[in-house]
mmCIF file of all heavy atoms in Angstrom:
data_model
loop_
_atom_site.group_PDB
_atom_site.id
_atom_site.type_symbol
_atom_site.label_atom_id
_atom_site.label_comp_id
_atom_site.label_asym_id
_atom_site.label_seq_id
_atom_site.Cartn_x
_atom_site.Cartn_y
_atom_site.Cartn_z
ATOM 1 N N VAL A 653 -200.736 127.477 -22.620
ATOM 2 C CA VAL A 653 -200.516 128.886 -22.294
ATOM 3 C C VAL A 653 -201.080 129.704 -23.457
ATOM 4 O O VAL A 653 -200.614 129.590 -24.585
ATOM 5 C CB VAL A 653 -199.019 129.193 -22.105
ATOM 6 C CG1 VAL A 653 -198.808 130.685 -21.849
ATOM 7 C CG2 VAL A 653 -198.443 128.374 -20.946
ATOM 8 N N VAL A 654 -202.108 130.508 -23.181
ATOM 9 C CA VAL A 654 -202.743 131.278 -24.265
ATOM 10 C C VAL A 654 -202.292 132.734 -24.269
ATOM 11 O O VAL A 654 -202.516 133.453 -25.252
ATOM 12 C CB VAL A 654 -204.291 131.208 -24.188
ATOM 13 C CG1 VAL A 654 -204.784 129.775 -24.352
ATOM 14 C CG2 VAL A 654 -204.821 131.803 -22.883
ATOM 15 N N ALA A 655 -201.680 133.183 -23.184
ATOM 16 C CA ALA A 655 -201.185 134.560 -23.120
ATOM 17 C C ALA A 655 -200.151 134.634 -22.006
ATOM 18 O O ALA A 655 -200.224 133.884 -21.033
ATOM 19 C CB ALA A 655 -202.328 135.528 -22.829
ATOM 20 N N ALA A 656 -199.163 135.519 -22.188
ATOM 21 C CA ALA A 656 -198.148 135.670 -21.138
ATOM 22 C C ALA A 656 -197.739 137.130 -21.037
ATOM 23 O O ALA A 656 -197.687 137.840 -22.042
ATOM 24 C CB ALA A 656 -196.924 134.807 -21.466
ATOM 25 N N MET A 657 -197.490 137.564 -19.823
ATOM 26 C CA MET A 657 -196.997 138.935 -19.646
ATOM 27 C C MET A 657 -195.887 138.946 -18.601
ATOM 28 O O MET A 657 -195.798 138.055 -17.752
ATOM 29 C CB MET A 657 -198.128 139.878 -19.210
ATOM 30 C CG MET A 657 -198.699 139.572 -17.845
ATOM 31 S SD MET A 657 -199.883 140.847 -17.349
ATOM 32 C CE MET A 657 -200.688 140.041 -15.968
ATOM 33 N N LYS A 658 -195.060 139.956 -18.751
ATOM 34 C CA LYS A 658 -193.995 140.142 -17.768
ATOM 35 C C LYS A 658 -194.454 141.235 -16.817
ATOM 36 O O LYS A 658 -195.007 142.250 -17.258
ATOM 37 C CB LYS A 658 -192.734 140.589 -18.497
ATOM 38 C CG LYS A 658 -191.580 140.909 -17.584
ATOM 39 C CD LYS A 658 -190.364 141.244 -18.427
ATOM 40 C CE LYS A 658 -189.340 141.982 -17.607
ATOM 41 N NZ LYS A 658 -188.126 142.249 -18.346
ATOM 42 N N ARG A 659 -194.262 141.008 -15.527
ATOM 43 C CA ARG A 659 -194.578 142.055 -14.566
ATOM 44 C C ARG A 659 -193.276 142.500 -13.913
ATOM 45 O O ARG A 659 -192.496 141.682 -13.441
ATOM 46 C CB ARG A 659 -195.556 141.538 -13.505
ATOM 47 C CG ARG A 659 -196.916 141.220 -14.115
ATOM 48 C CD ARG A 659 -197.869 140.660 -13.110
ATOM 49 N NE ARG A 659 -197.333 139.455 -12.488
ATOM 50 C CZ ARG A 659 -198.073 138.594 -11.791
ATOM 51 N NH1 ARG A 659 -199.346 138.808 -11.609
ATOM 52 N NH2 ARG A 659 -197.519 137.518 -11.275
ATOM 53 N N GLN A 660 -193.035 143.790 -13.972
ATOM 54 C CA GLN A 660 -191.781 144.332 -13.450
ATOM 55 C C GLN A 660 -192.093 145.186 -12.223
ATOM 56 O O GLN A 660 -192.957 146.058 -12.277
ATOM 57 C CB GLN A 660 -191.112 145.197 -14.530
ATOM 58 C CG GLN A 660 -189.804 145.836 -14.110
ATOM 59 C CD GLN A 660 -188.684 144.807 -13.924
ATOM 60 O OE1 GLN A 660 -188.408 144.018 -14.815
ATOM 61 N NE2 GLN A 660 -188.036 144.816 -12.744
ATOM 62 N N ALA A 661 -191.377 144.913 -11.139
ATOM 63 C CA ALA A 661 -191.587 145.699 -9.917
ATOM 64 C C ALA A 661 -191.133 147.132 -10.139
ATOM 65 O O ALA A 661 -190.244 147.394 -10.948
ATOM 66 C CB ALA A 661 -190.804 145.078 -8.765
ATOM 67 N N LYS A 662 -191.753 148.061 -9.427
ATOM 68 C CA LYS A 662 -191.298 149.447 -9.519
ATOM 69 C C LYS A 662 -189.919 149.563 -8.866
ATOM 70 O O LYS A 662 -189.500 148.683 -8.109
ATOM 71 C CB LYS A 662 -192.321 150.391 -8.889
ATOM 72 C CG LYS A 662 -192.498 150.223 -7.394
ATOM 73 C CD LYS A 662 -193.506 151.216 -6.853
ATOM 74 C CE LYS A 662 -193.569 151.064 -5.347
ATOM 75 N NZ LYS A 662 -194.776 151.505 -4.716
ATOM 76 N N GLU A 663 -189.246 150.655 -9.194
ATOM 77 C CA GLU A 663 -187.901 150.941 -8.677
ATOM 78 C C GLU A 663 -187.829 150.721 -7.155
ATOM 79 O O GLU A 663 -188.703 151.181 -6.418
ATOM 80 C CB GLU A 663 -187.616 152.415 -9.024
ATOM 81 C CG GLU A 663 -186.192 152.896 -8.906
ATOM 82 C CD GLU A 663 -185.241 152.185 -9.865
ATOM 83 O OE1 GLU A 663 -185.676 151.802 -10.976
ATOM 84 O OE2 GLU A 663 -184.059 152.027 -9.483
ATOM 85 N N GLY A 664 -186.820 149.988 -6.697
ATOM 86 C CA GLY A 664 -186.622 149.827 -5.257
ATOM 87 C C GLY A 664 -187.525 148.791 -4.600
ATOM 88 O O GLY A 664 -187.556 148.675 -3.383
ATOM 89 N N GLU A 665 -188.236 148.011 -5.400
ATOM 90 C CA GLU A 665 -189.184 147.007 -4.874
ATOM 91 C C GLU A 665 -188.844 145.682 -5.552
ATOM 92 O O GLU A 665 -188.424 145.672 -6.705
ATOM 93 C CB GLU A 665 -190.603 147.478 -5.226
ATOM 94 C CG GLU A 665 -191.724 146.504 -4.989
ATOM 95 C CD GLU A 665 -191.922 146.125 -3.528
ATOM 96 O OE1 GLU A 665 -192.451 146.950 -2.757
ATOM 97 O OE2 GLU A 665 -191.546 144.990 -3.173
ATOM 98 N N PHE A 666 -188.967 144.560 -4.816
ATOM 99 C CA PHE A 666 -188.680 143.279 -5.486
ATOM 100 C C PHE A 666 -189.949 142.533 -5.858
ATOM 101 O O PHE A 666 -189.927 141.570 -6.608
ATOM 102 C CB PHE A 666 -187.776 142.394 -4.611
ATOM 103 C CG PHE A 666 -188.503 141.673 -3.512
ATOM 104 C CD1 PHE A 666 -188.807 140.325 -3.628
ATOM 105 C CD2 PHE A 666 -188.909 142.338 -2.368
ATOM 106 C CE1 PHE A 666 -189.498 139.650 -2.623
ATOM 107 C CE2 PHE A 666 -189.608 141.679 -1.367
ATOM 108 C CZ PHE A 666 -189.899 140.336 -1.493
ATOM 109 N N ARG A 667 -191.097 143.006 -5.335
ATOM 110 C CA ARG A 667 -192.366 142.342 -5.629
ATOM 111 C C ARG A 667 -193.010 142.981 -6.859
ATOM 112 O O ARG A 667 -193.230 144.176 -6.895
ATOM 113 C CB ARG A 667 -193.318 142.449 -4.438
ATOM 114 C CG ARG A 667 -192.793 141.749 -3.187
ATOM 115 C CD ARG A 667 -193.594 142.129 -1.971
ATOM 116 N NE ARG A 667 -193.513 143.554 -1.693
ATOM 117 C CZ ARG A 667 -194.144 144.168 -0.707
ATOM 118 N NH1 ARG A 667 -194.931 143.484 0.094
ATOM 119 N NH2 ARG A 667 -194.008 145.464 -0.518
ATOM 120 N N SER A 668 -193.330 142.140 -7.831
ATOM 121 C CA SER A 668 -193.802 142.678 -9.113
ATOM 122 C C SER A 668 -195.321 142.778 -9.198
ATOM 123 O O SER A 668 -195.854 143.111 -10.251
ATOM 124 C CB SER A 668 -193.285 141.784 -10.238
ATOM 125 O OG SER A 668 -193.748 140.474 -10.009
ATOM 126 N N ASN A 669 -196.028 142.493 -8.109
ATOM 127 C CA ASN A 669 -197.507 142.538 -8.151
ATOM 128 C C ASN A 669 -197.992 143.879 -8.697
ATOM 129 O O ASN A 669 -197.501 144.932 -8.288
ATOM 130 C CB ASN A 669 -198.091 142.369 -6.744
ATOM 131 C CG ASN A 669 -197.627 141.104 -6.062
ATOM 132 O OD1 ASN A 669 -196.464 140.990 -5.709
ATOM 133 N ND2 ASN A 669 -198.525 140.160 -5.897
ATOM 134 N N LEU A 670 -198.991 143.814 -9.576
ATOM 135 C CA LEU A 670 -199.539 145.052 -10.134
ATOM 136 C C LEU A 670 -200.153 145.902 -9.011
ATOM 137 O O LEU A 670 -200.095 147.125 -9.046
ATOM 138 C CB LEU A 670 -200.581 144.741 -11.222
ATOM 139 C CG LEU A 670 -200.044 143.893 -12.398
ATOM 140 C CD1 LEU A 670 -201.109 143.678 -13.461
ATOM 141 C CD2 LEU A 670 -198.784 144.510 -13.023
ATOM 142 N N HIS A 671 -200.697 145.225 -7.986
ATOM 143 C CA HIS A 671 -201.249 145.942 -6.829
ATOM 144 C C HIS A 671 -200.173 146.668 -6.020
ATOM 145 O O HIS A 671 -200.475 147.513 -5.195
ATOM 146 C CB HIS A 671 -201.999 144.984 -5.897
ATOM 147 C CG HIS A 671 -203.284 144.475 -6.472
ATOM 148 N ND1 HIS A 671 -203.371 143.286 -7.143
ATOM 149 C CD2 HIS A 671 -204.527 145.018 -6.501
ATOM 150 C CE1 HIS A 671 -204.619 143.111 -7.551
ATOM 151 N NE2 HIS A 671 -205.340 144.141 -7.184
ATOM 152 N N ARG A 672 -198.924 146.269 -6.210
ATOM 153 C CA ARG A 672 -197.809 146.913 -5.495
ATOM 154 C C ARG A 672 -197.077 147.896 -6.423
ATOM 155 O O ARG A 672 -195.915 148.200 -6.221
ATOM 156 C CB ARG A 672 -196.783 145.881 -4.992
ATOM 157 C CG ARG A 672 -197.331 144.743 -4.147
ATOM 158 C CD ARG A 672 -196.954 144.892 -2.694
ATOM 159 N NE ARG A 672 -197.751 145.940 -2.077
ATOM 160 C CZ ARG A 672 -199.049 145.816 -1.766
ATOM 161 N NH1 ARG A 672 -199.686 144.721 -1.982
ATOM 162 N NH2 ARG A 672 -199.698 146.828 -1.238
ATOM 163 N N GLY A 673 -197.735 148.318 -7.479
ATOM 164 C CA GLY A 673 -197.145 149.317 -8.369
ATOM 165 C C GLY A 673 -196.308 148.739 -9.493
ATOM 166 O O GLY A 673 -195.609 149.472 -10.192
ATOM 167 N N GLY A 674 -196.363 147.428 -9.693
ATOM 168 C CA GLY A 674 -195.632 146.802 -10.800
ATOM 169 C C GLY A 674 -196.273 147.166 -12.139
ATOM 170 O O GLY A 674 -197.418 147.600 -12.191
ATOM 171 N N SER A 675 -195.489 147.003 -13.227
ATOM 172 C CA SER A 675 -196.061 147.310 -14.544
ATOM 173 C C SER A 675 -195.982 146.074 -15.436
ATOM 174 O O SER A 675 -195.066 145.260 -15.312
ATOM 175 C CB SER A 675 -195.297 148.465 -15.179
ATOM 176 O OG SER A 675 -193.934 148.126 -15.233
ATOM 177 N N ALA A 676 -196.967 145.951 -16.320
ATOM 178 C CA ALA A 676 -197.060 144.751 -17.139
ATOM 179 C C ALA A 676 -196.657 145.046 -18.571
ATOM 180 O O ALA A 676 -196.901 146.138 -19.076
ATOM 181 C CB ALA A 676 -198.485 144.227 -17.113
ATOM 182 N N SER A 677 -196.017 144.082 -19.217
ATOM 183 C CA SER A 677 -195.715 144.235 -20.636
ATOM 184 C C SER A 677 -195.734 142.867 -21.311
ATOM 185 O O SER A 677 -195.664 141.829 -20.653
ATOM 186 C CB SER A 677 -194.345 144.897 -20.823
ATOM 187 O OG SER A 677 -193.359 144.089 -20.223
#
Side-chain angles (χ1 to χ4, degrees):
V653 177
V654 298
M657 65 173 166
K658 176 176 162 176
R659 294 178 302 195
Q660 179 69 53
K662 66 179 184 204
E663 194 63 32
E665 170 64 75
F666 80 103
R667 297 167 298 178
S668 58
N669 304 69
L670 302 182
H671 290 95
R672 306 252 75 73
S675 56
S677 60

